Amino acid sequence: MLQIGDGAECLLVLFALSLAGTRNVVLSAGFIAALYVLLVLCRFPQVPASQTEQVLRPRKKALSGGISVIAHRGGGHDAPENTIAAIREASANGATGVELDLEFTADGIPVLMHDETVDRTTNGSGFLKNLNFADLSNLDAAARHRLREKFHGEKIPSLQEAVEECILHQLTIYFDVKGHPDEAASALKELYKKHPVLYNTSIVCSFESTVIYKVRQADPAVVTALTHRPWSISRLGDGTPRFSSLWKHHWSQALDVLQDWAVHHLLWRVCGVSAILMQKSFISPHYVQYWAKRGVEVVGWTINTAVEKQYYQDLLKINYITDSLKEDCEPHY
């Protein structure tokens, strides 16, 4: 049920807005009652806390206090991102787990890729949605990496290949799903069916609540998380405004406020997530406590300096995602 002070507070706000618009108490009350029933019927409960703890606080490869260090895209600074080499390097460098990006080829094969195109990370060009899996075998996933000579010839792996490698190294997996809600939910359902160990060693994350809802709908036993960065609609990862048009910028800011409110008061509960993956600039002890009261863990990203890592380990005592386990580096957007 919706908790007083959280969901109920949201409904009161919606009631006030509805009343202001309709000027009809009965109609507004009926609307809110119907909305409440809909939320109760459609929401997913969180997975058991014991399962969440196994995923987010594994005893193996964790730091003191059970803190997990997750290699972002497998550790994109230390090896070519989203590759088998990155997974192996992350394990060798002491990572608790890896965050891997899920995308799909033209022939529907789930693969590891962050961008919509292969241009930034490989020696190829074009949209992934226009390339078959066989086309990817001709590409060098290390071509544009700073350690390209060391990892020359590294391939773009299928999701299946990457998962098997992670299981071999006993790494926790953070599946970062960029979109394709139905395809992702179906692919992950089959993956979990084939590898039941994933229920206690992986978590599915996404900026898109639709993706998380579809995943829970396909398999309610999967541990999930919403990824969030305030002002992500109006600004890019480095803070640069996304739109040059003034009215578009202000409109996107309004959408940002609405999205932020929805994540913190509504979407997390409807989806029944167990964690929030939050951009580091917005995390504080108070923020961690806010979510702890709701049975939700906070995971910070992207934590790339020794000072930041010490802060997360000693003061915040929460898991964090990093681009490198070996040295300080700039964030990989």
Side-chain angles (χ1 to χ4, degrees):
M1 302 294 284
L2 298 175
Q3 295 177 358
I4 299 299
D6 196 355
E9 184 181 272
C10 298
L11 292 176
L12 286 174
V13 171
L14 290 175
F15 175 75
L17 292 174
S18 176
L19 186 60
T22 64
R23 298 182 182 277
N24 187 312
V25 175
V26 176
L27 184 62
S28 297
F31 167 70
I32 296 303
L35 181 61
Y36 176 81
V37 172
L38 183 65
L39 290 175
V40 170
L41 292 177
C42 294
R43 66 177 288 265
F44 288 99
Q46 291 173 304
V47 299
S50 57
Q51 182 184 351
T52 299
E53 185 174 3
Q54 288 187 67
V55 173
L56 297 177
R57 302 280 181 169
R59 295 179 181 178
K60 294 181 179 180
K61 295 194 173 186
L63 301 179
S64 59
I67 307 301
S68 291
V69 180
I70 308 302
H72 188 216
R73 306 178 196 170
H77 182 76
D78 303 332
E81 65 180 57
N82 286 311
T83 62
I84 298 299
I87 293 171
R88 291 171 179 166
E89 193 77 6
S91 179
N93 292 333
T96 313
V98 291
E99 181 258 11
L100 303 173
D101 297 302
L102 172 59
E103 266 292 353
F104 291 86
T105 60
D107 48 346
I109 304 299
V111 297
L112 301 195
M113 179 64 65
H114 177 272
D115 300 357
E116 293 181 343
T117 73
V118 298
D119 300 41
R120 180 178 61 85
T121 57
T122 77
N123 57 341
S125 180
F127 283 93
L128 189 64
K129 66 181 180 180
N130 296 330
L131 299 171
N132 290 326
F133 184 67
D135 300 325
L136 302 184
S137 63
N138 299 317
L139 304 181
D140 182 356
R144 301 186 186 280
H145 193 267
R146 67 188 190 92
L147 301 176
R148 62 181 67 87
E149 293 184 6
K150 177 181 177 181
F151 296 103
H152 176 71
E154 191 65 26
K155 301 302 180 184
I156 298 172
S158 68
L159 177 64
Q160 178 65 41
E161 292 171 328
V163 166
E164 290 176 354
E165 192 68 26
C166 289
I167 292 174
L168 177 65
H169 292 282
Q170 296 184 309
L171 291 169
T172 301
I173 308 173
Y174 284 50
F175 294 110
D176 186 2
V177 184
K178 299 302 179 187
H180 316 286
D182 294 316
E183 294 90 338
S186 177
L188 289 169
K189 181 179 180 179
E190 290 303 313
L191 197 64
Y192 277 74
K193 183 178 179 181
K194 185 174 182 179
H195 302 287
V197 67
L198 291 175
Y199 286 106
N200 295 319
T201 60
S202 70
I203 181 170
V204 178
C205 322
S206 182
F207 278 95
E208 299 182 23
S209 56
T210 306
V211 168
I212 300 304
Y213 194 84
K214 287 285 187 179
V215 169
R216 294 301 309 281
Q217 197 172 42
D219 191 342
V222 173
V223 179
T224 56
L226 280 171
T227 307
H228 186 53
R229 174 174 63 83
W231 310 110
S232 60
I233 299 176
S234 60
R235 295 183 181 275
L236 301 173
D238 61 0
T240 305
R242 197 178 293 273
F243 305 104
S244 57
S245 169
L246 194 61
W247 77 265
K248 284 185 178 180
H249 178 66
H250 289 316
W251 172 245
S252 62
Q253 285 184 313
L255 293 177
D256 274 322
V257 173
L258 179 62
Q259 181 189 54
D260 192 75
W261 175 85
V263 167
H264 288 85
H265 297 283
L266 183 64
L267 297 177
W268 76 272
R269 185 176 293 281
V270 173
C271 294
V273 299
S274 302
I276 292 289
L277 274 58
M278 174 59 72
Q279 204 274 338
K280 65 180 181 181
S281 301
F282 302 92
I283 298 178
S284 65
H286 174 74
Y287 189 76
V288 174
Q289 186 179 35
Y290 171 88
W291 283 112
K293 290 178 180 178
R294 290 155 177 78
V296 176
E297 289 225 24
V298 176
V299 179
W301 57 273
T302 306
I303 317 305
N304 283 348
T305 69
V307 172
E308 289 177 325
K309 292 174 182 178
Q310 204 67 43
Y311 175 67
Y312 272 73
Q313 293 165 200
D314 297 343
L315 183 62
L316 295 179
K317 300 184 186 300
I318 63 173
N319 298 347
Y320 61 85
I321 299 172
T322 181
D323 286 312
S324 176
L325 288 101
K326 301 176 73 174
E327 59 187 9
D328 290 2
C329 67
E330 292 299 315
H332 292 220
Y333 295 110

